[in-house]
Amino acid sequence: MSVSMRDLDPAFQGAGQKAGIEVWRIENFKPVPVPQASYGKFFTGDSYLILKTIALKSGALRQDIHYWLGKDTSQDEAGAAALKTIELDAALGGRAVQYREVQGHETERFLSYFKPCIIPQEGGTASGFKHVESEEHKIRMFTCQGKHVVHVKEVPFARSSLNHDDIFILDTANKIFQFNGSNSSIQERAKALEVVQHIKDTYHDGKCDIATVEDGKLMSDAETGEFWGFFGGFAPLPRKTTDDVKSAVALPTQLFRVEKGQAEPVSADTLTKELLDTNKSYLLDCGAEIYLWMGRSTSLDERKAASGAAEEYLRSQDRLKSQIIRVIENFETVSFRSKFDAWPQSAEVAVSEDGRGKVAALLKRQGVNVRGLLKAAPEKEEPQPYIDCTGNLQVWRVNGQEKILLTVPDQSKFYSGECYIFQYNYPGEDQDECLIGTWFGKKSVEEERSSATSHANKMVESLKFMASQLQVYEGSEPILFFAIFQSFLVLKGGLSDGYKTFISENELSDDTYKEDGVALFRVQGSGPENMQAIQVEPVASSLNSSYCYILHSGSSVFTWIGNLRTPEVEELVERQLDVIKPNMQAKLQKEGSESEQFWEILGGKSEYPSQKIARDAESDSHLFSCTFTKGELKVIEIYNFNQDDLMTEDIFILDCHASIFVWVGQQVDQKLKTQALVIGELFVKHDFLLEKLMVQTPIYIISEGSEPEFFTRFFTWDSTKSAMHGNSFQRKLSILKNGGRPTLSNKPKRRTPGAHVGRSATNEKPQRARSVSFSPERVRVRGRSPAFNALASAFENPSARNLSTPPAQVRKPYPKSDSSNVAPRSTAIASLTSTFEQPPREPLMPRSIKPRPKSPPKAESNSKENIMSSKIETLTIQEDVKENEVEDEEGLTLYPYERLITVSTDPAADIDVTKRETYLSSAEFREKFGMTKEAFYKLPKWKQNKLKMALQLF
């Protein structure tokens, strides 16, 4: 589409450069900006343009344009609004979706911009903005419809306006009444209360009483009698009139081609994209809405002519209240694409940025600031798990209909032919949280998948649905899953009866991992708290320049370092080597200089990729309300959602592309609660957003009142709202009458981490506290030096070798979190654990020699235990002294963190303020930065500064 400056209205210069809403009113056929304070105020005699700009996670800006037509607006003004909408789209690069909005028939997307509602006022450009002083309050009555957004319509103040199906608001001088029709839903009543609050704040300055009246309760209370008194007393209500039946009649979908301002039918058995010519415009009549598709090569004048043809088409059919949705080629909406058979994927971004760049260049020559028109640089943020990593983990392997509790060394070692169940208890903000999940290997059998799901569901039910649930498939694990397991190993094959039967019946070879066989592992991850080793086919084509690998064959072990690997991954190779082959030395192989023996084991050289394996990234989230009846799932998207849209009677799905969250309200039917996972799987299967969701997409089940942070981060969350009791209407009414403050329920707290353990199939107790890390061969204590780890491991298992790499380290995202539920082990390990789980000592002064404080005397209960404790204390003192000797050699005086921060009330003197972090002790440095000083100074300078700024040390 060619654009010249004379085609663009000056009022649109600089529009759409940042996220938010912009509004113009049509005055004398020209768009005039509306002050932001007047957004949401519409007059029945006017036409408006509304631009909604959304900043996507990719950094790009997406726009939707709406033109709103008041019921009393003139045909000429309505036509001007339609044409100016096309001009505005051209100014934005020709990519926006454009919606025709008619008063009283607005789309839910449009109404979501102005929550809780819009109440158009009488008047227009000439008279609508003159402030009229009312001598007395005029009684008005409104009808409210809608569960998610509210359509508000003013109706005559008369008994004949009332009915049993809708909700009505009577606005009097001193009190606002809400009349709930007996056939209205609880959700509709709750949403209508938001309109009551809006009327109270807008027209009564927040100073008036509120009353609710239930249809059919007659004169049950004084407020009900007062309400009916305005109508001269109670009398039976009439049935609801159906004046809009014609617009609701379903019409067959039909395609028209716009030729010379006329809509000509296109004959076709099925609708395919090939019917649409990029040089033309088309009408797609779907009954309730009409789509106007405009090819990329059409000119601005041709698009205006097509818009006029669409308006004329509606007038000819007496359907002026129908919606018109204009879409541009390559930027079609999901609903439009769903009308066609097998709509192909297109390179949307390349096309969009090209058109947007041309418009930006044009405007820049006119002196217009076009910074926001161009695509913003995407924010490169490392994915976060949003879960405390210091909890307690239990893992079961599924064998047929049974689940077998794994020992600590095996609980992070999964087989690709198996199914696993895990329960992770961890400290939350206010109380303990619980996550129960299933992991399905790529070659696991369907029978054991069903068994794993059944066991997990029963575990959740036994916890009164107060635990969150997660279903994960191999290869699609979210970062949260890896953060829980920290060091994760996936092996080929399986051990269960189901897997062995499957390969036997299908005459397949058993490729189950053997320690003395040939095996190749791809090492991946971002750090010690997130590292994986995945067994792949032992052939050269399995290599990838972006990763490191471990190869072993009999007594030979190799580590292969790809040229494009990151320093973090290279460091993880040694850690994973300690897990896979802890007692063997590896031969280093750098890409391009491999030995003949290395290639011989892999069967010879061959081509292999260099691109990093792509994983689904989290995209912009969408919220859907779900209805599930007789196995059929129906969803409705909720636009511009917030926490208040989650109704306790319903099930909602939050789609983030990389993961699916199924939120289940407290008052959902008990049988329906058990179907939450099925609902999530059906949502993924149907792919309502046509985003090519994988069947293996992780699915979370979240129960109301037990929302974890990895769910609430998508909202501005108020935990007191989800802790209220009553249905949605009762909760909203309580907030409304309580001055906007939620009234908390006295519901029981969630179970503690150990609450479910006793219900497991075995009598074994929780396996570990997350403050201690275990390798398959020996105990690894986190947060200590390699020397001390070696001593501790030798103490537990004298035959184990000393490891060459420091241990993985737990990051504690919540300072006040503390894992106190320590799993019982041998006396030695219990004593060792208790030593490290003491509260951290306050660094009161710089230390040159810092002996360990003496513990208070304890009663002798077991002589062996006392001897063991003294040995552990000796080891700890030696470790502390060693750390001090290293720090003394550096010649630095150490200070506590509180004295080093830039906002300290007692700042340390005579320090280099550009290197405040160097004055922290090693232990406190690890606690604050989550890494050693050595690892920190290997980071790029910009990343160092970013971390220091976050900790107020820069």
Side-chain angles (χ1 to χ4, degrees):
M1 178 182 68
S2 58
V3 181
S4 64
M5 198 63 195
R6 61 182 175 82
D7 296 325
L8 305 179
D9 197 292
F12 299 142
Q13 291 187 4
Q17 295 191 25
K18 59 182 181 180
I21 295 176
E22 297 169 74
V23 182
W24 295 264
R25 186 177 69 251
I26 300 298
E27 297 182 12
N28 297 322
F29 311 114
K30 295 287 185 181
V32 177
V34 172
Q36 190 169 354
S38 297
Y39 287 2
K41 185 184 292 185
F42 296 92
F43 289 81
T44 61
D46 286 335
S47 298
Y48 296 82
L49 270 65
I50 298 91
L51 171 63
K52 173 67 173 180
T53 303
I54 301 171
L56 304 178
K57 281 185 177 290
S58 64
L61 296 176
R62 193 198 77 197
Q63 282 93 9
D64 290 319
I65 306 173
H66 305 255
Y67 62 103
W68 184 87
L69 310 177
K71 65 182 180 66
D72 300 323
T73 191
S74 68
Q75 185 173 328
D76 290 339
E77 274 198 351
L83 296 180
K84 290 300 178 183
T85 300
I86 294 178
E87 288 185 26
L88 176 56
D89 173 54
L92 296 169
R95 59 184 290 180
V97 181
Q98 305 155 47
Y99 299 84
R100 178 180 186 264
E101 308 283 355
V102 178
Q103 180 182 341
H105 301 271
E106 296 88 352
T107 62
E108 292 199 353
R109 182 189 298 271
F110 175 80
L111 291 176
S112 72
Y113 304 155
F114 307 103
K115 289 182 179 180
C117 65
I118 62 170
I119 303 178
Q121 302 178 36
E122 294 294 328
T125 304
S127 60
F129 289 89
K130 294 181 180 178
H131 184 67
V132 180
E133 294 289 345
S134 299
E135 295 182 0
E136 61 180 22
H137 183 88
K138 178 185 176 183
I139 296 179
R140 299 185 299 170
M141 191 159 73
F142 305 92
T143 179
C144 299
Q145 298 176 341
K147 284 176 59 175
H148 309 300
V149 292
V150 187
H151 293 262
V152 179
K153 178 182 179 183
E154 186 169 357
V155 295
F157 169 42
R159 186 198 314 276
S160 59
S161 297
L162 300 171
N163 61 61
H164 298 294
D165 299 316
D166 296 326
I167 297 164
F168 295 84
I169 295 175
L170 182 64
D171 179 18
T172 70
N174 301 313
K175 186 176 288 188
I176 302 174
F177 295 87
Q178 175 171 317
F179 174 83
N180 298 323
S182 57
N183 296 332
S184 62
S185 69
I186 291 174
Q187 297 93 321
E188 287 179 308
R189 299 177 187 187
K191 279 295 178 184
L193 281 175
E194 296 179 7
V195 180
V196 171
Q197 180 72 62
H198 172 73
I199 294 174
K200 177 181 176 180
D201 294 338
T202 305
Y203 301 105
H204 295 269
D205 296 325
K207 301 174 183 176
C208 72
D209 294 330
I210 291 172
T212 58
V213 178
E214 298 299 322
D215 181 17
K217 290 193 176 180
L218 302 180
M219 315 296 281
S220 59
D221 55 53
E223 289 180 333
T224 301
E226 185 181 356
F227 171 80
W228 288 112
F230 284 99
F231 300 94
F234 174 79
L237 298 181
R239 290 186 176 182
K240 182 179 180 179
T241 58
T242 55
D243 55 346
D244 292 329
V245 171
K246 187 169 71 170
S247 64
V249 173
L251 297 175
T253 300
Q254 192 170 1
L255 182 66
F256 298 85
R257 181 173 54 251
V258 179
E259 293 281 0
K260 298 180 180 179
Q262 299 295 320
E264 299 179 357
V266 175
S267 58
D269 295 332
T270 58
L271 291 177
T272 62
K273 189 177 186 297
E274 286 69 29
L275 295 172
L276 306 176
D277 185 347
T278 187
N279 297 300
K280 298 184 180 297
S281 297
Y282 295 82
L283 284 177
L284 184 65
D285 187 352
C286 303
E289 65 272 330
I290 294 175
Y291 292 93
L292 174 58
W293 183 92
M294 295 176 281
R296 292 291 300 177
S297 300
T298 54
S299 67
L300 185 62
D301 289 337
E302 287 173 331
R303 294 183 183 186
K304 288 182 177 181
S307 176
E311 297 280 351
E312 182 60 35
Y313 177 79
L314 285 184
R315 280 193 290 271
S316 67
Q317 300 211 356
D318 192 23
R319 292 163 57 191
L320 292 177
K321 294 178 181 179
S322 294
Q323 298 168 0
I324 296 179
I325 303 173
R326 304 178 191 148
V327 295
I328 311 296
E329 182 182 2
N330 294 325
F331 301 98
E332 297 87 355
T333 63
V334 171
S335 56
F336 178 83
R337 287 183 280 138
S338 67
K339 310 295 182 184
F340 291 75
D341 291 345
W343 188 276
Q345 292 289 100
S346 60
E348 299 181 7
V349 174
V351 177
S352 96
E353 294 308 319
D354 176 62
R356 179 172 283 250
K358 291 178 180 178
V359 174
L362 175 65
L363 294 177
K364 189 173 183 180
R365 290 197 296 270
Q366 305 296 324
V368 179
N369 179 9
V370 296
R371 176 176 53 85
L373 273 176
L374 297 176
K375 180 177 178 180
E379 296 182 8
K380 294 183 179 180
E381 295 183 355
E382 293 183 3
Q384 299 296 322
Y386 296 98
I387 193 169
D388 190 297
C389 300
T390 63
N392 190 55
L393 177 67
Q394 283 184 289
V395 182
W396 294 263
R397 180 173 60 83
V398 175
N399 186 25
Q401 298 302 313
E402 299 178 342
K403 61 185 179 80
I404 303 169
L405 183 64
L406 299 183
T407 61
V408 170
D410 291 331
Q411 65 182 12
S412 292
K413 184 190 300 181
F414 284 17
Y415 284 87
S416 192
E418 304 284 1
C419 295
Y420 296 84
I421 305 168
F422 66 90
Q423 177 173 333
Y424 182 59
N425 300 289
Y426 60 98
E429 280 296 315
D430 302 313
Q431 52 196 343
D432 293 316
E433 306 280 357
C434 181
L435 176 64
I436 293 172
T438 52
W439 183 91
F440 300 151
K442 288 181 178 179
K443 295 187 176 181
S444 58
V445 296
E446 189 59 39
E447 177 191 357
E448 292 186 338
R449 291 184 181 186
S450 299
S451 177
T453 300
S454 176
H455 281 297
N457 288 341
K458 290 177 182 177
M459 292 167 69
V460 173
E461 288 181 43
S462 70
L463 293 173
K464 309 297 183 184
F465 295 97
M466 298 174 78
S468 299
Q469 193 171 349
L470 170 61
Q471 178 175 281
V472 177
Y473 286 84
E474 179 188 349
S476 300
E477 299 90 346
I479 185 67
L480 174 144
F481 177 87
F482 288 141
I484 291 172
F485 284 85
Q486 299 185 6
S487 177
F488 190 65
L489 182 65
V490 178
L491 303 171
K492 283 181 169 291
L495 306 174
S496 69
D497 296 337
Y499 175 76
K500 292 178 180 178
T501 301
F502 175 79
I503 62 174
S504 174
E505 291 177 350
N506 292 274
E507 299 181 353
L508 301 174
S509 60
D510 187 357
D511 60 352
T512 301
Y513 172 75
K514 297 179 177 60
E515 291 187 3
D516 57 352
V518 178
L520 179 66
F521 294 87
R522 183 181 69 246
V523 178
Q524 61 190 38
S526 60
E529 73 287 351
N530 170 23
M531 57 180 180
Q532 304 90 45
I534 313 297
Q535 187 179 359
V536 296
E537 289 296 325
V539 292
S541 59
S542 296
L543 300 175
N544 188 312
S545 301
S546 296
Y547 296 92
C548 297
Y549 290 78
I550 296 173
L551 173 67
H552 72 70
S553 174
S555 60
S556 300
V557 181
F558 301 87
T559 57
W560 186 85
I561 310 299
N563 288 335
L564 302 179
R565 87 292 179 192
T566 62
E568 292 83 1
V569 173
E570 186 174 357
E571 179 187 348
L572 298 182
V573 172
E574 285 297 318
R575 295 185 182 275
Q576 293 292 23
L577 192 60
D578 292 336
V579 176
I580 298 170
K581 287 293 182 180
N583 298 310
M584 300 181 69
Q585 292 297 326
K587 300 174 184 177
L588 178 63
Q589 307 284 303
K590 292 188 176 181
E591 183 177 7
S593 58
E594 300 87 349
S595 65
E596 290 297 326
Q597 184 186 7
F598 176 83
W599 292 119
E600 185 180 339
I601 295 174
L602 291 179
K605 294 182 180 180
S606 70
E607 295 290 327
Y608 54 82
S610 58
Q611 294 282 334
K612 198 167 186 178
I613 299 172
R615 296 180 65 89
D616 273 349
E618 194 173 272
S619 64
D620 300 277
S621 52
H622 299 261
L623 184 68
F624 296 86
S625 173
C626 303
T627 304
F628 184 64
T629 53
K630 297 181 180 180
E632 183 180 359
L633 177 64
K634 295 181 179 179
V635 300
I636 298 174
E637 184 169 2
I638 299 174
Y639 305 101
N640 300 293
F641 61 85
N642 56 41
Q643 183 184 353
D644 290 335
D645 291 313
L646 301 175
M647 297 285 192
T648 186
E649 297 82 13
D650 293 330
I651 291 178
F652 292 82
I653 290 180
L654 184 68
D655 179 3
C656 308
H657 185 70
S659 299
I660 300 297
F661 296 84
V662 182
W663 183 91
V664 184
Q666 290 180 359
Q667 300 207 10
V668 169
D669 181 75
Q670 201 74 6
K671 290 183 179 179
L672 192 55
K673 284 184 179 181
T674 62
Q675 297 294 308
L677 188 57
V678 174
I679 291 173
E681 291 174 332
L682 281 174
F683 182 88
V684 172
K685 177 182 177 182
H686 289 304
D687 192 15
F688 291 98
L689 290 177
L690 303 182
E691 55 183 333
K692 295 194 177 298
L693 280 177
M694 297 189 305
V695 176
Q696 298 84 10
T697 301
I699 299 175
Y700 295 85
I701 310 299
I702 309 296
S703 297
E704 182 185 13
S706 303
E707 293 91 347
E709 189 196 4
F710 54 80
F711 174 78
T712 60
R713 66 189 177 93
F714 295 100
F715 302 80
T716 301
W717 196 261
D718 182 355
S719 58
T720 57
K721 288 184 177 179
S722 61
M724 295 181 70
H725 47 157
N727 59 39
S728 297
F729 173 70
Q730 292 167 338
R731 295 182 187 189
K732 287 280 177 70
L733 185 61
S734 174
I735 293 174
L736 190 59
K737 291 191 173 183
N738 197 37
R741 297 183 301 275
T743 303
L744 297 181
S745 64
N746 294 320
K747 70 170 191 171
K749 281 195 172 185
R750 276 168 263 180
R751 294 172 180 261
T752 57
H756 179 69
V757 174
R759 297 175 180 270
S760 62
T762 172
N763 293 327
E764 289 193 46
K765 296 183 179 180
Q767 294 300 300
R768 63 172 173 173
R770 301 289 283 184
S771 55
V772 179
S773 174
F774 294 82
S775 79
E777 297 299 325
R778 49 101 182 127
V779 177
R780 171 177 280 172
V781 181
R782 303 186 180 195
R784 295 282 171 174
S785 74
F788 186 78
N789 289 324
L791 289 173
S793 64
F795 190 67
E796 169 67 9
N797 183 2
S799 63
R801 72 184 178 99
N802 294 340
L803 299 187
S804 59
T805 56
Q809 182 177 342
V810 174
R811 291 184 179 178
K812 295 187 178 182
Y814 309 112
K816 64 181 180 181
S817 298
D818 182 29
S819 181
S820 58
N821 192 2
V822 182
R825 290 176 290 270
S826 68
T827 306
I829 298 304
S831 302
L832 182 61
T833 304
S834 64
T835 303
F836 301 135
E837 294 183 348
Q838 296 295 327
R841 300 187 297 275
E842 292 186 11
L844 299 177
M845 62 184 69
R847 62 179 187 178
S848 56
I849 298 178
K850 189 176 182 182
R852 184 178 180 86
K854 293 183 179 180
S855 302
K858 297 181 180 180
E860 292 188 10
S861 57
N862 186 300
S863 59
K864 291 184 179 179
E865 184 174 341
N866 293 334
I867 294 172
M868 190 68 65
S869 298
S870 64
K871 288 184 178 181
I872 298 301
E873 184 175 351
T874 302
L875 293 177
T876 306
I877 293 174
Q878 291 175 354
E879 172 66 10
D880 285 340
V881 170
K882 180 174 180 179
E883 288 182 0
N884 289 324
E885 289 173 356
V886 172
E887 289 162 1
D888 289 343
E889 288 174 3
E890 294 175 355
L892 290 176
T893 303
L894 303 180
Y895 293 95
Y897 170 77
E898 290 75 15
R899 296 191 63 189
L900 293 172
I901 57 177
T902 55
V903 294
S904 174
T905 56
D906 181 24
D910 300 326
I911 64 170
D912 184 351
V913 294
T914 64
K915 297 181 179 180
R916 296 174 183 269
E917 74 282 359
T918 59
Y919 299 91
L920 289 170
S921 67
S922 298
E924 195 164 20
F925 191 100
R926 283 194 300 264
E927 179 186 347
K928 298 299 182 184
F929 285 87
M931 65 185 76
T932 64
K933 289 185 180 181
E934 182 182 5
F936 174 81
Y937 288 117
K938 287 181 180 179
L939 297 174
K941 194 69 176 178
W942 66 267
K943 199 164 188 177
Q944 293 180 23
N945 292 338
K946 186 177 181 181
L947 289 171
K948 291 197 292 184
M949 288 178 67
L951 292 170
Q952 297 180 309
L953 291 170
F954 185 76

